[in-house]
Amino acid sequence: MHSPRFQALFAAALLAFVGCAAFSAATNPDPALVSAVASPARSPTAVARDPARHPVEELTFFGLAPTMTVVELWPGGGYWTDILGPYLAPKGHYYIALPAPGNAEEDEGVKRFRARIAAEKDRLGVLHETSLGAGHFDIAPPGSADLVLTFRNLHNWMGDGYAEEALAASFKALKPGGILGIEEHRGRNDQPQDPKCKNGYVRQDYTIALAKKAGFEFVTSSEVNANPRDTKDWVDGVWTLPPTLSQGEKDRARYVAIGEADNFVLKFRKPR
């Protein structure tokens, strides 16, 4: 039997190896992903947001690979779809869970998204469309997905009262060992969480608790989208800041200087 000192040294060496491997993955992203982000086909508006959103770093953190089956929940204007579509088209499968019909604003957003996708179908590849919303939680075939991603949507589902169901749907869609990636506006720890999330900010510990309740294991977090300039006390909540800039020209320069909100990035795993 090895001595306790040998066992301690071995454990330290193993941790160092794992740490180096993780660092290597984060600092040596897939060239195909780098190419997808650098594509001249992406709109200047989207590219302008890259310094705030760090797409290569974030998707690498989540473990994205070209052969995966990926589900993106509520793609909004398609910022991430512009990257994921071309990247997954050759070897992967890509599901898009759009907001379920019934909300006028969301319905209009879905209409614009579909028109855009139709115009760029050759570049974006095959998108398997599903729905996510009250009474609509079949986001992909059960146990089919390697990766489920949601970017700044959890506050909406909290406001509509089905955040737990959305996370349960993600759990159901994933394979054992599959990953759930969540990016969200980070709420203040010195204030209780509003369950309806009217200001758009969600506490990180609250999100972790919700995911664990759905059955997920918390893996790790990333500070890639942290913004310490965001004091989270704005007149219109998170929408005061870019890209929404709800105050229009009032104090615009100030809000632009602050930048997009402070966001956490969390990685969860469905147990094997």
Side-chain angles (χ1 to χ4, degrees), residues 2 95 132 215 270:
H2 294 300
Y95 286 84
L132 173 64
K270 180 176 179 176

Side-chain angles (χ1 to χ4, degrees), residues 62 150 154 167 180-184 207 211 264-268:
F62 288 140
T150 174
L154 183 61
L167 294 177
L180 168 66
I182 299 179
E183 176 191 312
E184 184 55 276
T207 303
F264 59 70
V265 178
L266 305 178
K267 185 175 182 178
F268 299 91

Side-chain angles (χ1 to χ4, degrees), residues 80-94:
W80 295 96
T81 309
D82 260 351
I83 298 166
L84 291 167
Y87 178 78
L88 293 168
K91 300 177 182 177
H93 294 88
Y94 187 18

Side-chain angles (χ1 to χ4, degrees), residues 10-271:
F10 178 79
L14 181 61
L15 286 172
F17 173 79
V18 171
C20 287
F23 178 80
S24 177
T27 56
N28 295 284
D30 183 351
L33 177 58
V34 175
S35 178
V37 172
S39 170
R42 295 181 64 218
S43 73
T45 301
V47 172
R49 297 187 68 192
D50 288 352
R53 306 207 71 172
H54 303 95
V56 172
E57 295 88 343
E58 186 164 347
L59 293 173
T60 300
F61 170 77
F62 288 140
L64 177 69
T67 57
M68 282 183 167
T69 294
V70 177
V71 184
E72 183 186 0
L73 309 180
W74 281 30
Y79 174 89
W80 295 96
T81 309
D82 260 351
I83 298 166
L84 291 167
Y87 178 78
L88 293 168
K91 300 177 182 177
H93 294 88
Y94 187 18
Y95 286 84
I96 294 286
L98 296 171
N103 177 289
E105 182 179 352
E106 291 165 5
D107 289 349
E108 186 60 33
V110 167
K111 183 179 178 180
R112 290 193 301 270
F113 179 82
R114 284 177 173 153
R116 180 180 175 192
I117 295 307
E120 301 185 68
K121 60 182 180 181
D122 292 339
R123 182 175 73 88
L124 297 177
V126 177
L127 306 184
H128 305 279
E129 184 181 317
T130 59
S131 294
L132 173 64
H136 298 264
F137 297 108
D138 294 325
I139 60 173
S144 66
D146 299 289
L147 181 62
V148 174
L149 299 172
T150 174
F151 304 96
R152 310 184 186 185
N153 292 312
L154 183 61
H155 63 276
N156 292 307
W157 306 332
M158 290 170 62
D160 290 338
Y162 52 79
E164 292 186 10
E165 289 85 350
L167 294 177
S170 301
F171 189 90
K172 181 180 178 181
L174 283 164
K175 301 173 182 177
I179 297 297
L180 168 66
I182 299 179
E183 176 191 312
E184 184 55 276
H185 313 303
R186 178 167 24 213
R188 291 170 54 158
N189 288 331
D190 62 345
Q191 295 178 355
Q193 179 63 55
D194 171 13
K196 290 295 185 180
C197 204
K198 293 177 184 176
N199 67 358
Y201 288 98
V202 188
R203 284 178 52 142
Q204 184 166 321
D205 57 352
Y206 187 90
T207 303
I208 292 173
L210 279 178
K212 286 184 174 180
K213 185 176 180 180
F216 287 101
E217 300 170 342
F218 174 61
V219 179
T220 188
S221 62
S222 169
E223 291 298 296
V224 68
N225 287 334
N227 182 358
R229 297 184 300 276
D230 179 9
T231 54
K232 309 164 189 183
D233 55 359
W234 314 115
V235 61
D236 285 335
V238 72
W239 300 280
T240 309
L241 299 178
T244 305
L245 292 168
S246 64
Q247 293 292 291
E249 293 304 315
K250 182 180 179 182
D251 294 328
R252 184 184 185 90
R254 175 193 177 200
Y255 298 134
V256 169
I258 290 165
E260 297 195 22
D262 177 36
N263 288 278
F264 59 70
V265 178
L266 305 178
K267 185 175 182 178
F268 299 91
R269 180 183 292 114
K270 180 176 179 176

